[in-house]
Amino acid sequence: MSPKYDLLLKGGNVIDPAQRLNGRMDIAFIDGKVASISEQIPSETANNVVAVNDKLIMPGLIDLHGHFAHKITPFRADPDTTCLPIGVTTAVDTGSTGWINFPGFRAYVMERVETRLYAFLHLSSLGVTTVLTLGIPDTEDFRLAREEEAVQCIEENRDLILGIKVRLSPHGTTAANAVPSMEMARRVAENTNTKIMVHVMDSPLPMKQVFDYLRPGDVVTHAFHGTEHNITTDGNRLRDEAWQAREKGVIFDTGCFMRHFSLPLCRAAIEQGFDPDTISTDIVGPRPGTTCYNLLEVMSIFLELGMKVEEIVRATTINPSKVIGDKGLGSLAVGSVGDVAVLDIVPGNFSYEDKLGDSIRANNRFEHVVTVKDGAIWNPTVG
Ligand SMILES: [Zn+2]
């Protein structure tokens, strides 16, 4: 009998919250998809058998908030060296580009890299280019917000654009332009039947007012920041409107970059049962004076803050997959895209800081073992 499967991972501990699986399973792939998942799949049925005894097997990780318009917009990360080596097989660029520079991002990055990329289009025509190059906030000059062109760009790139990004912060807009920005983003999302992702760190608007613009499936990012207008009343107790927004279906994303999250506030939220829906990095490329944590480091932070492993996996697989839409990502169900992150949790002494003056120590962290992309073991391209 000739082998039936292209690849078989044997002996791992599968965690797939989408299917409520958590236990020892074998998983086999054919033609880039998950072909079988069960307690025992014979080795002789596969061309390539990889023993992953006692490692954690989960769907390929999804980073819902990063910046990957590499060399299109300054300080954007190279997706293939940032993501695939740690098990992130899908990533979302959130507003690096607007309708003017998105086509270049698509042609020269998204379509050329191995990492599966999606994007939120920035409401500003040039994305974050003006603030990063000239110091002019994204929509400080509201002539940069062009509704018709944004709608047209989304319509022309519906396969890759998930919605519209707005930044309510001094780098993103002015207090006077905050409401017009949210109103325009709402109209763009309605007209294209896509989502809003809104940056709320240092927002001039109270959370309650921001939530009023959001519909089920829209995303609040940097949702666990610790400065003014955060999701708590006092740095500790969750606001009623945060619970109501979650009830309505608003997605709470971490975007854990620099000052954009507060370790004590994250811990308080988790203790009250308010885990993040999606765990993401807000990762950028090398830039003097900045450090950012990659997705495994951010996952390790949330492990230390008290989230269960299964919930961390949910927040980096099926939950971000729901924001992306029906693409077969974030699950190991038969027929799904054959992406897997093989990880381990290893002991040691680790520390993390949030740039707001708080730090934590951790005795365990996630470490990468193997990445499977489209049903094959991923190896970095040599040379
Ligand atoms: Zn960001």
Side-chain angles (χ1 to χ4, degrees):
M1 192 181 88
S2 61
K4 180 173 155 195
Y5 301 121
D6 301 326
L7 172 67
L8 170 60
L9 300 180
K10 267 196 93 61
N13 284 319
V14 170
I15 304 178
D16 183 10
Q19 299 187 84
R20 296 191 184 158
L21 288 181
N22 192 341
R24 200 216 156 280
M25 296 247 163
D26 295 346
I27 176 163
F29 305 86
I30 194 163
D31 294 336
K33 304 259 193 281
V34 177
S36 178
I37 179 163
S38 73
E39 283 178 15
Q40 197 61 249
I41 301 175
S43 293
E44 57 272 22
T45 59
N47 283 315
N48 186 11
V49 181
V50 177
V52 286
N53 297 335
D54 304 323
K55 305 300 182 204
L56 302 179
I57 310 297
M58 59 195 73
L61 299 172
I62 302 173
D63 189 348
L64 189 67
H65 182 161
H67 294 280
F68 303 103
H70 187 50
K71 309 242 176 183
I72 302 285
T73 309
F75 314 122
R76 307 295 89 177
D78 178 346
D80 284 350
T81 57
T82 306
C83 298
L84 293 168
I86 60 165
V88 176
T89 55
T90 302
V92 180
D93 178 274
T94 55
S96 291
T97 60
W99 65 271
I100 292 176
N101 44 3
F102 179 81
F105 175 34
R106 174 175 183 131
Y108 295 104
V109 180
M110 297 181 91
E111 291 180 356
R112 293 190 181 196
V113 296
E114 289 183 80
T115 312
R116 190 178 296 98
L117 289 180
Y118 295 97
F120 278 87
L121 187 76
H122 204 301
L123 185 69
S124 170
S125 307
L126 285 162
V128 291
T129 306
T130 58
V131 74
L132 289 173
T133 54
L134 306 169
I136 301 170
D138 313 336
T139 52
E140 177 188 276
D141 183 336
F142 210 64
R143 289 175 298 180
L144 282 166
R146 298 281 282 262
E147 187 171 341
E148 260 179 51
E149 286 87 344
V151 167
Q152 190 183 344
C153 183
I154 293 172
E155 294 291 2
E156 288 171 0
N157 297 279
R158 295 196 74 90
D159 55 335
L160 298 182
I161 296 181
L162 309 176
I164 192 89
K165 171 90 183 283
V166 182
R167 294 204 304 163
L168 298 177
S169 79
H171 293 300
T173 189
T174 58
N177 285 341
V179 165
S181 293
M182 288 309 294
E183 287 176 343
M184 188 183 284
R186 184 71 258 144
R187 290 195 301 273
V188 170
E190 297 287 330
N191 287 337
T192 54
N193 194 25
T194 59
K195 298 180 165 83
I196 293 175
M197 178 185 272
V198 56
H199 163 133
V200 294
M201 166 87 184
D202 290 331
S203 165
L205 304 180
M207 293 300 281
K208 191 170 193 324
Q209 194 176 351
V210 177
F211 292 142
D212 285 343
Y213 290 105
L214 303 182
R215 304 283 179 268
D218 288 340
V219 182
V220 172
T221 191
H222 312 309
F224 298 81
H225 77 82
T227 57
E228 201 186 359
H229 299 319
N230 64 54
I231 57 172
T232 69
T233 54
D234 55 0
N236 187 31
R237 190 180 159 274
L238 262 293
R239 291 180 184 278
D240 292 344
E241 54 263 37
W243 288 106
Q244 287 155 8
R246 167 160 284 181
E247 186 71 20
K248 182 166 87 171
V250 170
I251 307 300
F252 288 78
D253 176 60
T254 63
C256 282
F257 180 59
M258 302 288 286
R259 298 170 59 248
H260 289 157
F261 74 112
S262 155
L263 289 165
L265 188 137
C266 287
R267 192 189 293 280
I270 291 165
E271 279 170 7
Q272 287 163 77
F274 202 91
D275 288 5
D277 294 300
T278 55
I279 292 177
S280 68
T281 58
D282 194 16
I283 201 159
V284 296
R287 185 179 184 186
T290 62
T291 49
C292 33
Y293 293 124
N294 71 31
L295 193 59
L296 292 193
E297 291 169 318
V298 174
M299 290 163 67
S300 301
I301 289 171
F302 281 90
L303 187 64
E304 176 58 26
L305 290 175
M307 261 179 97
K308 293 191 174 67
V309 173
E310 192 175 345
E311 296 310 311
I312 292 170
V313 175
R314 187 191 305 279
T316 48
T317 58
I318 190 60
N319 281 1
S321 166
K322 287 176 185 165
V323 176
I324 290 170
D326 193 14
K327 311 276 189 191
L329 301 169
S331 167
L332 298 174
V334 170
S336 301
V337 171
D339 287 6
V340 173
V342 182
L343 305 182
D344 211 351
I345 296 177
V346 299
N349 286 315
F350 312 106
S351 65
Y352 306 93
E353 55 186 41
D354 65 6
K355 307 294 180 200
L356 292 166
D358 287 291
S359 59
I360 53 167
R361 294 201 160 278
N363 297 320
N364 292 289
R365 76 173 178 195
F366 288 97
E367 282 194 359
H368 174 258
V369 181
V370 169
T371 301
V372 175
K373 171 90 182 354
D374 292 315
I377 300 289
W378 177 80
N379 290 307
T381 312
V382 178

